[in-house]
Amino acid sequence: MNGLLGIEKPGTQDRSASARLARSLHPAAAPAVVRPLFENSLSVLNRTGAWHIARDLCQEFVPQHARVRYWRLGSYPPEGLARKIAARLMMMEINWLKDSRRCLIGSRAIKESTRIFLDPLFVLRSELAERDIVLCHDVGPLSHGDLYGAATVDNYRIAYEKIRRHRPALVFVSDWSKNNFISIHGSDFRFLTTIPLYVRTGLFEGSLDALPGLDGAFFLTVGAFETRKNQIAALEAYRDSGFYQQGIKYVLCGSRGDGHDRIIAFAKSVPGVVVPGYVPDSQLRWLYTHAEAFVLPSLLEGFGMPALEAAHMGLLLSSPKEVPWLKPWRVCACKYQPRTRPQSERPCGTPFREARPKKRRLARGCGRLPRMHRRNSSCADGESF
């Protein structure tokens, strides 16, 4: 991944693929190469799988091998209430100014520096050049606009148009996302490449903290509360299948996104549903460890990190049919029609007495999923983080 991003650590052999890729990003590099800049405004706003990718990259490369920028806040990310206030101000700026050249961030920066944008949205308020790199999680706002809010669709449409004009390099988190992008904007860019899915093994190290007030059996969904995540269909399935009467609860956790008000309001109206919101890793570990099955009702994902985490823990997955980004783990999943509840026999209707044996079998079958180790992030061919 180092070479892919143009970041080369000391001791790398000159003939390695990493060195060749680094030179391709800096063809006229002088001995004193300007460190690349991670544009990580994403982390001011986002707490989903994309945020974990951004955090992993910055922890690996900053400050020794690269710099980082958080919107107009410099190199130090805000936390708590300060982060939420900054996120609102940042989105106000994006919504008002779009890609106007007024007050662009970093317009006086050293021109030789390569910027690595960790989400396409944030090219809007920055300079953008062909030497830069944009990490693209999905093109859903362009290809499936009905699953997003109008402002989100408009902002991403303008951002992708700016990317099309400047033709930087693009890195995608799945071939499905890359192919969707190419179908819309073509392939005339510095390079287009895909990184593989990974399981962040750090999630499975550390203490397990039980979710307060939760006991007994439960199904689990992890993901932002957004229209595209299709949680209402899963909630209807749970309600109509009578699992609450069988003593099985349904836990949905994640951050808030487009359409969260309607989803959370409906969830609170269904007996047996628990909505803790965003949970820390210690509680997420506990939920993965104790859940009976993982329900993934999403209609669109760029990365699908929770699905990999659940499979890594041996959980039976329930997902919509024909989910391209989940294809590698299809052996671990039971499928149902999108926008409808799962059929009662798959997997939610599986008799509760069969859930634990299936979980043990899946744990054996899914134990070899790709894992993310930051110490291996110097993979020379750029094929993993």
Side-chain angles (χ1 to χ4, degrees):
M1 189 63 187
N2 296 5
L4 185 63
L5 298 179
I7 303 171
E8 195 169 1
K9 292 184 178 180
T12 305
Q13 294 296 320
D14 183 66
R15 292 187 178 182
S16 69
S18 179
R20 291 195 299 272
L21 283 167
R23 287 195 299 270
S24 72
L25 293 176
H26 301 283
V33 178
V34 178
R35 288 180 301 163
L37 173 70
F38 282 106
E39 209 303 322
N40 194 12
S41 298
L42 165 81
S43 292
V44 178
L45 178 68
N46 189 294
R47 284 296 183 269
T48 65
W51 172 73
H52 287 292
I53 297 174
R55 183 186 63 175
D56 292 340
L57 286 170
C58 289
Q59 286 180 348
E60 172 64 24
F61 295 114
V62 177
Q64 186 174 2
H65 307 289
R67 298 166 296 143
V68 65
R69 180 179 76 201
Y70 297 91
W71 186 46
R72 299 185 180 276
L73 305 175
S75 59
Y76 297 98
E79 296 295 339
L81 180 60
R83 181 186 70 82
K84 294 180 180 179
I85 293 173
R88 287 182 177 271
L89 293 173
M90 180 175 68
M91 291 310 302
M92 287 173 62
E93 177 184 353
I94 290 174
N95 290 332
W96 288 346
L97 296 180
K98 307 292 186 186
D99 64 341
S100 167
R101 293 200 56 81
R102 294 176 56 191
C103 303
L104 285 180
I105 303 171
S107 57
R108 298 180 181 179
I110 300 174
K111 293 186 179 299
E112 288 75 17
S113 176
T114 295
R115 289 170 289 260
I116 303 165
F117 294 88
L118 299 179
D119 188 278
L121 179 65
F122 303 104
V123 306
L124 287 176
R125 301 305 311 140
S126 174
E127 296 283 359
L128 181 64
E130 187 176 357
R131 65 179 174 275
D132 296 332
I133 300 172
V134 181
L135 179 60
C136 178
H137 302 277
D138 68 76
V139 292
L142 303 185
S143 61
H144 298 75
D146 59 315
L147 301 179
Y148 296 82
T152 298
V153 171
D154 188 46
N155 287 334
Y156 272 96
R157 179 184 58 78
I158 298 172
Y160 277 114
E161 175 58 25
K162 183 172 182 177
I163 291 170
R164 186 197 64 78
R165 292 197 309 269
H166 292 276
R167 293 200 283 262
L170 287 111
V171 178
F172 299 86
V173 299
S174 70
D175 284 333
W176 184 79
S177 294
K178 183 175 76 172
N179 293 337
N180 270 275
F181 177 87
I182 292 173
S183 71
I184 297 170
H185 288 301
S187 57
D188 186 18
F189 295 84
R190 186 155 65 88
F191 66 74
L192 302 168
T193 192
T194 302
I195 59 174
L197 302 174
Y198 70 86
V199 172
R200 53 188 185 104
T201 53
L203 172 63
F204 307 106
E205 302 167 356
S207 63
L208 279 70
D209 295 333
L211 197 66
L214 180 62
D215 53 13
F218 62 91
F219 299 133
L220 176 65
T221 289
V222 178
F225 291 91
E226 299 179 7
T227 302
R228 68 186 174 99
K229 301 288 188 176
N230 203 31
Q231 287 108 329
I232 288 181
L235 288 163
E236 291 173 341
Y238 171 82
R239 179 197 63 194
D240 297 344
S241 298
F243 290 109
Y244 175 63
Q245 290 74 16
Q246 300 177 39
I248 306 174
K249 296 180 180 178
Y250 184 19
V251 180
L252 298 93
C253 58
S255 56
R256 298 185 175 191
D258 288 336
H260 71 271
D261 290 337
R262 179 169 174 260
I263 299 167
I264 293 175
F266 184 75
K268 290 180 177 179
S269 72
V270 179
V273 172
V274 180
V275 186
Y278 185 84
V279 298
D281 279 355
S282 60
Q283 289 185 345
L284 188 58
R285 280 190 290 271
W286 186 90
L287 290 168
Y288 279 134
T289 301
H290 291 85
E292 298 299 334
F294 187 86
V295 182
L296 185 71
S298 181
L299 299 172
L300 179 68
E301 290 285 342
F303 197 76
M305 185 178 286
L308 299 184
E309 295 169 351
H312 177 80
M313 294 298 288
L315 287 176
L316 181 66
L317 305 183
S318 173
S319 73
K321 290 184 177 180
E322 306 305 328
V323 181
W325 43 267
L326 195 58
K327 187 175 182 180
W329 319 122
R330 185 70 69 200
V331 67
C332 306
C334 292
K335 300 169 285 185
Y336 62 89
Q337 290 291 348
R339 298 187 184 277
T340 64
R341 67 178 181 85
Q343 303 233 350
S344 61
E345 69 275 11
R346 282 193 190 187
C348 297
T350 302
F352 179 59
R353 63 181 177 273
E354 297 181 10
R356 290 188 185 277
K358 280 196 173 187
K359 183 176 178 179
R360 288 196 294 270
R361 291 197 299 272
L362 284 164
R364 292 194 296 268
C366 300
R368 294 189 295 274
L369 298 183
R371 302 181 182 186
M372 186 278 187
H373 296 278
R374 283 195 288 272
R375 64 177 179 271
N376 293 333
S377 62
S378 59
C379 183
D381 60 3
E383 284 300 310
S384 78
F385 272 148

